Amino acid sequence: MNQTSLIGRVFALIASIALIVVGLMFSVVLIAFIVGAALIAWGYLWWKTRALRKQMRERMAAEQRYGEVFKGEVFEGEIIEGEVIRKVVSLEEDKR
């Protein structure tokens, strides 16, 4: 049988605790780096899209001022998947 002494067990406990602490330190640094990189990326995208967001706000305000694009128009016919299907009847077909 291989029995470890009390000194061996204490050394193993201290080494295990040291490894856990070092692992936690590296994980905290890694998480901080990832969060920092994500914030920088978000800030960059927010800054680069500011003109686009301004243009979208202006168009939405203009649409609210002038009403909807198809205001007053009435679509007749059968609508399937967003397409309007109409039967065109010419004067010759109407006489038959």
Side-chain angles (χ1 to χ4, degrees):
M1 291 190 163
N2 188 8
Q3 294 182 349
T4 57
S5 65
L6 181 62
I7 296 173
R9 288 182 185 180
V10 170
F11 178 73
L13 179 66
I14 292 172
S16 298
I17 291 173
L19 285 174
I20 290 172
V21 168
V22 169
L24 286 174
M25 285 176 22
F26 280 115
S27 68
V28 167
V29 169
L30 181 64
I31 289 172
F33 177 75
I34 291 172
V35 168
L39 285 174
I40 290 171
W42 177 81
Y44 176 77
L45 288 174
W46 179 78
W47 183 257
K48 288 295 186 178
T49 59
R50 67 189 189 282
L52 178 64
R53 286 182 277 118
K54 180 181 177 184
Q55 186 180 20
M56 288 173 59
R57 280 192 301 269
E58 289 171 354
R59 286 191 181 185
M60 290 298 288
E63 186 176 319
Q64 288 178 353
R65 280 193 304 266
Y66 300 118
E68 295 181 11
V69 177
F70 298 111
K71 187 175 182 180
E73 292 186 26
V74 177
F75 292 105
E76 295 177 4
E78 185 178 353
I79 299 176
I80 299 175
E81 295 182 10
E83 297 179 12
V84 178
I85 301 172
R86 298 180 187 174
K87 181 179 179 185
V88 179
V89 179
S90 65
L91 292 176
E92 294 174 4
E93 291 178 359
D94 195 32
K95 292 179 183 178
R96 293 182 200 172

